[in-house]
Amino acid sequence: MAVTREGETESSQFTPITDPSNTKEFSGTLQSFADSEKVQLSVFSQTLQTPVASDRRRDWVLNVPEPPGLLSNLKTSFKKTLLCPLENKIQCLGKHPVSALVSILNVIFPPLSWCKEYNVTKFRRDILAGLTLASLCIPQSIGYATLAKLDPQYGLYTSVIPPLIYAMMGSSRDIAIGPVAVVSLLLSSMVPKLEDPTTNPIAYRKLVLTVTFFAGVFQAAFGLLRLGFLVDFLSHAAIVGFMAGAACVIGLQQLKSLLGISNFTNNTDIISVLASICKSINTLNLHSFIIGSSFLIFILSTKYYLARKYKKLFWLAAMAPLLSVIMSTLLVFLTRADKHGVKIVKHITGGLNPSSLHELQFNSPHTAEAAKIGLIVALVALTEAIAVGRSFATMKGYRLDGNKEMLAMGVMNITGSLTSCYVATGSFSRTAVNFSAGCETAVSNIVMAITVLISLEFCTRLLYFTPVAILASIILSALPGLINISEAKYIWKIDKMDFLACAAAFLGVLFVSVEIGLLLAVGISFAKIILNSIQPGTEKLGRLPGSDLFGDMEQYPIATTTPGALIVRVKSALLCFANANFIRGRILNLALEEQDTGAIESANHNRVQLVILDMSNLLNIDTSSIAALEDLQNDLESNGMQLALANPRWHVIHKLRLANFLKKIEGRIFLTIGEAIEACLTSKNMLPI
């Protein structure tokens, strides 16, 4: 039994073939069916292009509901961000108190979500990873504390409390928490401008702890208020350049300890450092240089040769810094090299982290400056930690919650500032070791922290004869991982403006200071955004053959123009006071050029008399842009052309309607470009087709 669609003739019905063996009959029937479908589609297309259908679809554009205003958007955003989650939890708490309480605890303490699946096998792997991590963490922490111009024990303190806090609140299962080189450099380059660590080390330490507290407050606030987008102000390109520049500056700073030089500049720029080395080269201690360079070669060879050639020896690369500390300490003790000018660590205060609540400076004249430094350090530390955490989360196939990470980092640094720790964050080198050692969860951080705590309690006396040169070697060995030349090449290949921001960050850090490098990188990134907003490009559109699609004629050379019409699209999401007159001028100049070209090259009927502005890209406009559109309409009319608008977005059409602009263009506003061409070019007032 054949089913006939409404409006379908008997001849166009498709009758099933009962005898499939009759191939010719079957093929003929299929062909007739295809032809009938083409006829139906053609009729449907013509129906849509009739004036009645066009007017109806124009009404769709004009008769839209009023979009939400600014206050409504702010209220909705605030409700979604803060009130809804809390309100949902409170409602659930009243109905199902036990399950709601568990849900709230899972949000605050993410490890509760995976602890149900935790077993002995995973615990064994976490213990191994934690011990391996501690072997790298102990010497690095001492080295980074000296880089931050603090006593060595403060680096060890920072590897105890913050990892424990993060293990309870963080959502990453792989990241290794502790002091890092870049943050240590930031502190040592910015805080000494307020307090000299040499003449007044106690005041300097108190200021560093205060900066740590403010950094934690900012990080926690970012997490609570869901302000993670602030971290994106430091673009990927800027971070690549900044990290490379910081690595070079750190390396130059470590030459003092590696060469055993006594007098050294406090400046971080390359010119000052090289000048200081040249002046003090006579005080070079050959014993320190031999010890430091020998163990540097040992660490680098295990890390970049043995560990890569023999994958199972990754643990040797991880333990190489600790082995270097042990062997160099024994060497100095047995040979009494400290009597020959080799500088040693000497006394390291052991024991549990002492309270530092009384050392926070909130009434100091430098409090405001400490808060500013805390904000910068907070952003840099978060950027590095989230980038590291997301990289390894992607490898293992789980999701990292950025807001929870910020909150966890903030709480751990606030707590750290109260327990003699300076700013801690995620370390890429230690996280890579943690990952390679087979860590399963954040328990590896707990194992590492306990191991460091045991070392603080019982082993600090054994580090008395540790040469300072070996700490410089350990820091230098970690720097190549901060310089990503292949990524810089990739940025150059993809986006030259991004590379400019990358190069500015690198050169600014290297030749001026850390702050200037960051400022240049952020400034160039913002300049790129502002430049694209103020002077956006325009595209001349043409119809793609065999379709109703319109594309950029430079991108699609096969696209064809429509006689008598110029179709333009603005390459910007916002038409505002900053770019409205620029865009008006670009469109007018393009229209006049096209009109002159049409008059010279062809008959009069091909001259441009209709300019269609495709508004599909524009998300919003303001009063300045509406005034610019009115001026554009007047300029076009004075030159024998008319303006039509196609596919305006919700807020755009609402504001144009309020400004009574639609009457000024005599209602030439359409849902698609094709409808604008069809309606306007067949109008009696326009050029006939």
Side-chain angles (χ1 to χ4, degrees):
M1 175 178 167
V3 178
T4 305
R5 290 176 295 186
E6 184 179 356
E8 187 176 36
T9 61
E10 196 68 34
S11 61
S12 66
Q13 295 176 22
F14 176 74
T15 305
I17 303 299
T18 55
D19 185 8
S21 61
N22 193 339
T23 308
K24 291 183 179 180
E25 181 185 352
F26 184 67
S27 300
T29 305
L30 281 180
Q31 183 63 41
S32 64
F33 175 70
D35 293 340
S36 68
E37 289 298 312
K38 289 181 180 178
V39 171
Q40 295 295 326
L41 288 174
S42 177
V43 172
F44 179 68
S45 177
Q46 291 173 9
T47 302
L48 285 180
Q49 293 175 1
T50 61
V52 175
S54 180
D55 291 341
R56 186 185 303 118
R57 296 176 71 175
R58 190 185 307 170
D59 290 339
W60 296 350
V61 179
L62 298 176
N63 299 325
V64 293
E66 183 175 344
L70 177 61
L71 292 177
S72 177
N73 284 331
L74 290 175
K75 182 180 178 181
T76 302
S77 177
F78 180 75
K79 189 174 181 180
K80 286 182 178 179
T81 303
L82 295 177
L83 297 183
C84 278
L86 184 61
E87 189 177 334
N88 292 337
K89 299 296 181 186
I90 293 174
Q91 290 177 355
C92 291
L93 195 61
K95 296 178 181 178
H96 309 285
V98 177
S99 59
L101 183 61
V102 171
S103 177
I104 292 173
L105 291 175
N106 283 334
V107 171
I108 300 174
F109 304 107
L112 292 176
S113 60
W114 50 255
C115 69
K116 300 175 184 178
E117 302 174 358
Y118 203 64
N119 52 42
V120 177
T121 303
K122 291 183 178 181
F123 182 58
R124 190 184 303 118
R125 291 176 181 173
D126 281 337
I127 289 178
L128 178 61
L131 293 174
T132 307
L133 197 57
S135 67
L136 175 63
C137 174
I138 292 171
Q140 274 194 354
S141 298
I142 295 173
Y144 291 151
T146 59
L147 176 61
K149 298 183 179 178
L150 295 168
D151 293 334
Q153 64 267 20
Y154 288 96
L156 296 174
Y157 292 156
T158 308
S159 297
V160 176
I161 300 299
L164 292 175
I165 299 295
Y166 182 85
M168 292 185 291
M169 298 188 66
S171 59
S172 174
R173 304 174 191 176
D174 303 280
I175 196 169
I177 298 296
V180 297
V182 174
V183 171
S184 300
L185 173 66
L186 278 172
L187 293 173
S188 65
S189 62
M190 299 175 76
V191 179
K193 295 177 182 178
L194 307 177
E195 291 288 355
D196 192 337
T198 304
T199 59
N200 198 351
I202 296 176
Y204 174 81
R205 183 184 71 239
K206 291 180 178 179
L207 204 54
V208 169
L209 294 174
T210 306
V211 168
T212 302
F213 177 82
F214 281 119
V217 169
F218 283 121
Q219 290 172 335
F222 294 160
L224 288 172
L225 300 177
R226 298 176 181 265
L227 299 177
F229 65 89
L230 293 175
V231 177
D232 296 330
F233 283 163
L234 292 175
S235 66
H236 173 67
I239 289 296
V240 170
F242 173 74
M243 290 292 190
C248 294
V249 168
I250 293 169
L252 291 170
Q253 290 287 315
Q254 294 310 302
L255 291 178
K256 172 188 176 182
S257 301
L258 187 69
L259 300 176
I261 295 174
S262 300
N263 300 319
F264 204 74
T265 180
N266 289 325
N267 296 329
T268 59
D269 63 285
I270 185 172
I271 296 175
S272 299
V273 172
L274 292 179
S276 180
I277 291 173
C278 291
K279 290 179 182 179
S280 306
I281 195 68
N282 295 329
T283 63
L284 180 145
N285 186 280
L286 190 60
H287 298 91
S288 293
F289 176 70
I290 292 174
I291 292 173
S293 58
S294 299
F295 283 104
L296 176 60
I297 293 171
F298 167 68
I299 296 172
L300 292 176
S301 61
T302 57
K303 184 176 182 180
Y304 293 102
Y305 178 71
L306 289 177
R308 291 183 177 181
K309 188 174 182 179
Y310 307 101
K311 300 294 184 182
K312 293 183 178 181
L313 292 180
F314 75 90
W315 57 270
L316 181 59
M319 296 188 67
L322 183 60
L323 293 174
S324 299
V325 168
I326 294 172
M327 290 188 291
S328 62
T329 302
L330 286 173
L331 180 64
V332 171
F333 175 73
L334 295 174
T335 60
R336 302 300 299 179
D338 56 310
K339 302 293 184 181
H340 300 281
V342 175
K343 294 182 180 179
I344 57 177
V345 173
K346 295 184 179 179
H347 178 68
I348 298 179
T349 304
L352 299 175
N353 292 38
S355 172
S356 55
L357 175 62
H358 60 284
E359 296 192 5
L360 298 180
Q361 303 291 299
F362 297 120
N363 297 321
S364 168
H366 302 309
T367 302
E369 290 297 323
K372 293 178 183 178
I373 298 172
L375 176 60
I376 296 172
V377 172
L379 289 172
V380 173
L382 281 176
T383 302
E384 182 174 0
I386 292 176
V388 171
R390 283 177 177 167
S391 299
F392 287 92
T394 302
M395 293 181 189
K396 286 194 172 181
Y398 65 90
R399 181 179 173 273
L400 198 71
D401 190 322
N403 292 310
K404 289 181 182 178
E405 287 297 290
M406 293 179 185
L407 180 60
M409 295 279 175
V411 173
M412 80 178 188
N413 279 317
I414 292 173
T415 308
S417 68
L418 305 177
T419 53
S420 301
C421 306
Y422 73 97
V423 182
T425 188
S427 165
F428 185 84
S429 60
R430 292 198 295 275
T431 302
V433 169
N434 196 28
F435 179 82
S436 300
C439 77
E440 292 286 344
T441 65
V443 172
S444 60
N445 270 295
I446 298 176
V447 175
M448 178 199 71
I450 293 173
T451 306
V452 174
L453 184 61
I454 293 171
S455 301
L456 269 169
E457 194 69 36
F458 302 106
C459 303
T460 52
R461 295 180 182 178
L462 302 177
L463 300 174
Y464 184 90
F465 288 99
T466 300
V468 175
I470 200 64
L471 302 179
S473 300
I474 292 169
I475 294 173
L476 287 169
S477 67
L479 299 182
L482 299 177
I483 303 174
N484 197 337
I485 297 176
S486 61
E487 190 65 21
K489 290 180 179 178
Y490 174 79
I491 293 171
W492 167 261
K493 177 182 177 182
I494 299 299
D495 192 324
K496 301 300 186 289
M497 278 294 290
D498 262 2
F499 182 80
L500 182 60
C502 176
F506 175 75
L507 296 175
V509 171
L510 194 60
F511 286 96
V512 187
S513 66
V514 174
E515 309 96 287
I516 296 299
L518 278 174
L519 187 62
L520 282 174
V522 174
I524 291 176
S525 298
F526 271 103
K528 176 184 175 183
I529 297 172
I530 294 171
L531 188 62
N532 289 335
S533 300
I534 292 177
Q535 295 187 347
T538 54
E539 300 173 334
K540 178 183 175 183
L541 305 183
R543 188 191 295 269
L544 299 178
S547 72
D548 288 332
L549 302 177
F550 291 81
D552 182 10
M553 295 191 68
E554 292 185 357
Q555 183 180 359
Y556 302 102
I558 59 173
T560 58
T561 59
T562 301
L566 170 65
I567 308 166
V568 182
R569 181 166 61 203
V570 180
K571 293 191 283 188
S572 174
L574 181 64
L575 190 61
C576 62
F577 67 94
N579 58 19
N581 284 316
F582 175 81
I583 292 173
R584 179 187 65 83
R586 290 287 294 268
I587 295 175
L588 181 61
N589 291 336
L590 185 58
L592 293 175
E593 289 175 6
E594 289 292 320
Q595 192 179 52
D596 294 341
T597 303
I600 294 172
E601 295 181 354
S602 60
N604 187 56
H605 70 273
N606 279 337
R607 293 182 60 189
V608 173
Q609 294 193 14
L610 175 66
V611 176
I612 301 173
L613 179 58
D614 179 12
M615 307 187 82
S616 57
N617 280 355
L618 296 176
L619 300 179
N620 213 334
I621 58 174
D622 62 5
T623 53
S624 298
S625 57
I626 294 174
L629 287 175
E630 292 175 353
D631 292 340
L632 177 62
Q633 163 66 11
N634 295 333
D635 292 336
L636 291 174
E637 281 188 348
S638 63
N639 287 278
M641 293 176 281
Q642 291 184 341
L643 177 66
L645 307 180
N647 195 17
R649 306 296 286 266
W650 194 6
H651 286 85
V652 175
I653 187 61
H654 176 66
K655 291 182 179 179
L656 291 177
R657 190 170 54 189
L658 291 177
N660 207 25
F661 181 75
L662 303 181
K663 290 184 179 179
K664 297 176 183 177
I665 62 171
E666 300 175 357
R668 290 187 296 275
I669 185 162
F670 305 93
L671 188 60
T672 65
I673 298 173
E675 288 182 2
I677 295 172
E678 190 71 25
C680 292
L681 292 186
T682 56
S683 172
K684 294 180 180 180
N685 297 325
M686 299 296 293
L687 185 70
I689 296 179

